[in-house]
Structures are given as structure tokens and as C-alpha cells.
Amino acid sequence: RAIMLLGFTTVRTIATVVACGLDSSAVPPGFWRHSSATATAAQLIAWRFGINSGEAFAVGLLHDLGRGLLHVADPVLSAELDQRLADAALTEPSPPDTVPTRLELERELFGITHAEAAARLLGSWRFAPPMVEAIGEHHRPVGDPTSELTKLIGAAEAVTARAIGNFDEPVDGTGGVELLDLDNERLELIVHRVRSESGALAAVLSI
């Protein structure tokens, strides 16, 4: 019945989240708020990329799955990473290329980024290759040649950043929004809907 109402892709996505054991006590603060907002944004802008709304919702909800996986795998190391990011943010202004990013610290501490970790898991669980590839590459520069699904994640994260702020990750807000090619009024309507509609989903998932 759930598959009939929500679609197979959505049900499988939620089942994946449950199988990973990523409840509110097992993920970084703000994880589900960000993931839910990105899923909502992706669903609302999917038409701009010719992507089915169910697939868009799924890729938006799962794009940062690796953040939760790394946190669960080693909470102590994950806390160290967060502290180093916080310390870097409090230090005197430095040239941008000298400030470590989350992706760089993940590779240093875990030997893998959260995007790569999610892609590896979803690939082993036989998710569709285009979705696995898009999630694995979702932090590539927006201007790089990528699939429409990867572009969708970039644009959805840019909308999410406008709606609720960043999630300690590099996000090309300007480039992501430019992919949508929408007038400001329509863009702000989408941002408002993401802000108002994603909270309920986040509350359900974080139980």
C-alpha cells in the first residue's frame, strides 16, 4: 500500500534510512533538517531538469547519507572533525585556500568523503547507477560537466542554503541558483515552501 501511495523509489529511500539506523541520536545536529529541506527543494525544482519528482525527492534525501554513516562509524573522530571546523571558523581571517573544508578533513581523518561513502553503500545495495553517481559527485563544482541529476542536487542545496542556511559544507549558492534560471519572485516562492514544508518531514525522520 505504501508503494502504491508514495511510489517505489520513495519507499525504498525511507527504508534505506531506517536500515542505516540514522535516528536523531545517531546523526549530527541538523542532519535531518538539511536532508529534508534538500529533498523538498529537489522535488519542487525537478521539472527544471526533466527528472521525476519521486527520484528527485529520493536523491535529495539521500545525498548526505554519508555524513550520518561517518558519524555512526566513529563518533569520536566525527566530533574531532566538527571541532576542527569550528576552530577554523573562529580563527583570524585567512586566505580561502588555507582553510580546511569538511571534505578535506573527512579524507584526512576517515580516508573517504561522505559523498564517496554514501555512493559506495548505495551502489552495494544496487540503487540506480545514475543516482549513485550523482550522490558521489554532488560536491563537484557546479560548472563542471555533470549529469542532470547531479545538477539537481547542486541547485537544491543552493535553494536549501537560502531557506535554512548551510550545513558546514561547501555550497555554490550563486552557481546552483543560476542553474534554475528563475525570476527572483518564483525563486523566493520555492525558498519559502522549502522553509515551511520541510520541517514536518524532518520531525518524522528524526524520531
Side-chain angles (χ1 to χ4, degrees), residues 26-37:
V27 294
F31 176 86
W32 284 123
R33 185 74 176 100
H34 174 77
S35 297
S36 299

Side-chain angles (χ1 to χ4, degrees), residues 63-64 114-115 133-140 150 153 157 169:
H63 80 286
D64 265 347
H114 69 271
E133 179 183 351
I135 289 174
E137 297 185 347
H138 78 270
H139 279 299
R140 285 182 61 180
T150 307
I153 299 176
E157 285 216 282
E169 295 181 355

Side-chain angles (χ1 to χ4, degrees), residues 1 21 25-26 30 56 60 64 83 89 115 137 140 154 191 197 206:
R1 182 180 179 184
S25 64
D64 265 347
Q83 187 60 55
E137 297 185 347
R140 285 182 61 180
V191 168
E197 295 176 13
S206 63

Side-chain angles (χ1 to χ4, degrees), residues 1-60:
R1 182 180 179 184
I3 291 173
M4 289 177 63
L5 291 173
L6 302 175
F8 176 77
T9 301
T10 301
V11 172
R12 188 183 187 193
T13 299
I14 295 173
T16 298
V17 168
V18 174
C20 290
L22 300 183
D23 59 28
S24 59
S25 64
V27 294
F31 176 86
W32 284 123
R33 185 74 176 100
H34 174 77
S35 297
S36 299
T38 306
T40 303
Q43 194 169 39
L44 291 172
I45 63 175
W47 61 278
R48 293 296 295 175
F49 301 90
I51 294 171
N52 173 274
S53 63
E55 184 179 9
F57 173 87
V59 78

Side-chain angles (χ1 to χ4, degrees), residues 33-140:
R33 185 74 176 100
H34 174 77
S35 297
S36 299
T38 306
T40 303
Q43 194 169 39
L44 291 172
I45 63 175
W47 61 278
R48 293 296 295 175
F49 301 90
I51 294 171
N52 173 274
S53 63
E55 184 179 9
F57 173 87
V59 78
L61 191 64
L62 293 178
H63 80 286
D64 265 347
L65 180 68
R67 286 278 298 267
L69 295 175
L70 294 183
H71 188 82
V72 169
D74 195 327
V76 174
L77 210 55
S78 183
E80 178 185 339
L81 189 154
D82 289 337
Q83 187 60 55
R84 287 176 62 176
L85 282 175
D87 291 344
L90 293 174
T91 56
E92 292 296 323
S94 305
D97 58 352
T98 66
V99 179
T101 67
R102 171 170 290 278
L103 299 179
E104 290 169 342
L105 290 177
E106 285 174 347
R107 189 170 296 284
E108 175 188 334
L109 296 173
F110 290 96
I112 191 173
T113 69
H114 69 271
E116 293 165 346
R120 186 175 297 181
L121 176 69
L122 296 175
S124 70
W125 284 0
R126 299 183 184 279
F127 272 73
M131 182 183 293
V132 173
E133 179 183 351
I135 289 174
E137 297 185 347
H138 78 270
H139 279 299
R140 285 182 61 180

